[in-house]
Amino acid sequence: MTRFPPLSRTRLVEILDKIKDVSVAVFGDLCIDIYWDVDMRMSELSRETPHFAMPVVGERISLGGGGNVAANLAALLPKQAYACGLIGDDWRGRELIALCKAADIDTSHIVCGMGLISNAFCKPMRRGISSTIYEDPRLDFANVVPYGQEIEGAMIKALDAVATKADVLCISDQLPTNVYGAVTPRVREHILKLAASGLTVVADSRDRIGEYKNVILKPNEVEGARAAGLPAAGNINEYAQAAAKLSAMQKCEVVMTIGADGSLYAFEGSVTHVPAFPVPGDIDICGAGDSFISGFSLAIAAGASRPEAAFFAGLCSGVTIQKIGATGTATAEEVLGWFDKCK
């Protein structure tokens, strides 16, 4: 295993500048994250039920899942960022479209299905007399009933259209197996055909990373080790073994994130360790993988080598994990600022 040295500032600026000429798309499970701030000091006992109400005093809505990948792509100011996926004709879908448009993300390739449910993760954040904030169990909106071949056909048509415009396609295959997301087996098969025809595809999947071939895989260490059939807990050398095995099994390039230790790039039997700068203090890893796949995909489309792109992506994640309580994004200015601080 070789070790990749940090990029120079000159090279980093060059990659950021070339990103401005890149068009990029994300396809997959577009979601919104909703935070409800609840102040229990204002609560009253219900007259109808033996429960205290949860008074919502604030609401924050942001892009999540594949939507957060799109937000991270757009934050680095490419020529154009496209979001492609599936929503329902409901208020959550309308919020998602509005958030995308506000971030200058093209939404013309998003399929809207009547009667379908737009993905949302709702998080009530409760507080009382003390300053402690308690997160209640999350409320999830998702499709639990199959939506049929007509919707699948519409998504495949949208994929074909966006593939003609994008230099690189990110896949966000994140929903669990008991719900019906955008990346069905039929849709995944079409994605692999697009990759085989020459489109650069970078795929991230929480549960199904082992079902992708001939693309660039972006698992984290747990997902990658599980797909390779190896223990999920280990050291860098063991994770390097998992990345190499996964690459050989799937005939794919693999860029595996390994938390604070950075990432591993594996292909054709060789593995390169790409360290990350340590982040002091409190961190919030929610959305770190979205930042990584976005930065990596834009960098390779801008001409960076795979290890260079992994280092750049690590900088993007390093920025966003410092944003507590939010699935944040990293701008070019923030990436440069974080690099300068660490160097």
Side-chain angles (χ1 to χ4, degrees), residues 221-288:
E221 69 273 37
V222 175
E223 297 158 351
R226 182 174 58 216
L230 296 173
N235 55 41
I236 292 178
N237 289 328
E238 290 169 331
Y239 287 137
Q241 180 185 358
K245 183 178 178 181
L246 182 61
S247 174
M249 288 169 50
Q250 303 305 113
K251 298 180 175 60
C252 288
E253 299 175 72
V254 172
V255 55
M256 179 190 292
T257 57
I258 51 174
D261 290 318
S263 60
L264 297 163
Y265 172 69
F267 190 51
E268 295 182 339
S270 67
V271 180
T272 302
H273 176 214
V274 183
F277 292 130
V279 179
D282 295 334
I283 62 172
D284 185 345
I285 63 170
C286 183

Side-chain angles (χ1 to χ4, degrees), residues 17 44 56 107 109 121 154 215 248 252 328:
D17 188 57
E44 294 182 354
V56 177
T107 62
H109 301 290
F121 303 110
V215 302
C252 288

Side-chain angles (χ1 to χ4, degrees), residues 76-291:
L76 289 167
L77 300 180
K79 181 179 179 181
Q80 184 60 64
Y82 300 92
C84 186
L86 180 65
I87 61 172
D89 183 26
D90 52 32
W91 68 269
R92 294 172 301 279
R94 290 187 287 274
E95 285 287 345
L96 187 145
I97 293 294
L99 288 168
C100 283
K101 289 184 176 180
D104 198 26
I105 299 165
D106 187 298
T107 62
S108 60
H109 301 290
I110 294 177
V111 175
C112 181
M114 296 296 294
L116 298 184
I117 295 174
S118 300
N119 304 315
F121 303 110
C122 308
K123 307 171 186 180
M125 310 298 290
R126 227 200 281 214
R127 69 180 303 166
I129 295 173
S130 73
S131 60
T132 301
I133 297 177
Y134 171 86
E135 182 174 344
D136 274 281
R138 201 176 69 195
L139 306 174
D140 291 356
F141 290 84
N143 291 296
V144 295
V145 176
Y147 41 73
Q149 294 186 356
E150 183 178 349
I151 292 295
E152 284 184 312
M155 287 193 291
I156 288 171
K157 184 178 179 180
L159 265 169
D160 285 338
V162 83
T164 65
K165 302 175 181 179
D167 299 303
V168 60
L169 174 66
C170 303
I171 303 300
S172 181
D173 181 5
Q174 299 300 323
L175 293 182
T177 55
N178 60 339
V179 300
Y180 292 86
V183 191
T184 64
R186 179 185 171 197
V187 170
R188 186 179 303 108
E189 181 181 353
H190 195 76
I191 290 168
L192 301 187
K193 288 180 180 178
L194 290 173
S197 69
L199 178 64
T200 300
V201 176
V202 185
D204 187 10
S205 179
R206 186 163 295 175
D207 297 317
R208 295 171 287 273
I209 198 72
E211 296 180 25
Y212 290 85
K213 292 187 177 182
N214 301 313
V215 302
I216 303 172
L217 302 180
K218 199 247 36 107
N220 62 28
E221 69 273 37
V222 175
E223 297 158 351
R226 182 174 58 216
L230 296 173
N235 55 41
I236 292 178
N237 289 328
E238 290 169 331
Y239 287 137
Q241 180 185 358
K245 183 178 178 181
L246 182 61
S247 174
M249 288 169 50
Q250 303 305 113
K251 298 180 175 60
C252 288
E253 299 175 72
V254 172
V255 55
M256 179 190 292
T257 57
I258 51 174
D261 290 318
S263 60
L264 297 163
Y265 172 69
F267 190 51
E268 295 182 339
S270 67
V271 180
T272 302
H273 176 214
V274 183
F277 292 130
V279 179
D282 295 334
I283 62 172
D284 185 345
I285 63 170
C286 183
D290 299 336
S291 299

Side-chain angles (χ1 to χ4, degrees), residues 271-316:
V271 180
T272 302
H273 176 214
V274 183
F277 292 130
V279 179
D282 295 334
I283 62 172
D284 185 345
I285 63 170
C286 183
D290 299 336
S291 299
F292 190 95
I293 191 174
S294 303
F296 180 85
S297 300
L298 285 169
I300 61 172
S305 69
R306 302 318 199 223
E308 284 179 327
F311 180 82
F312 176 79
L315 289 175
C316 296

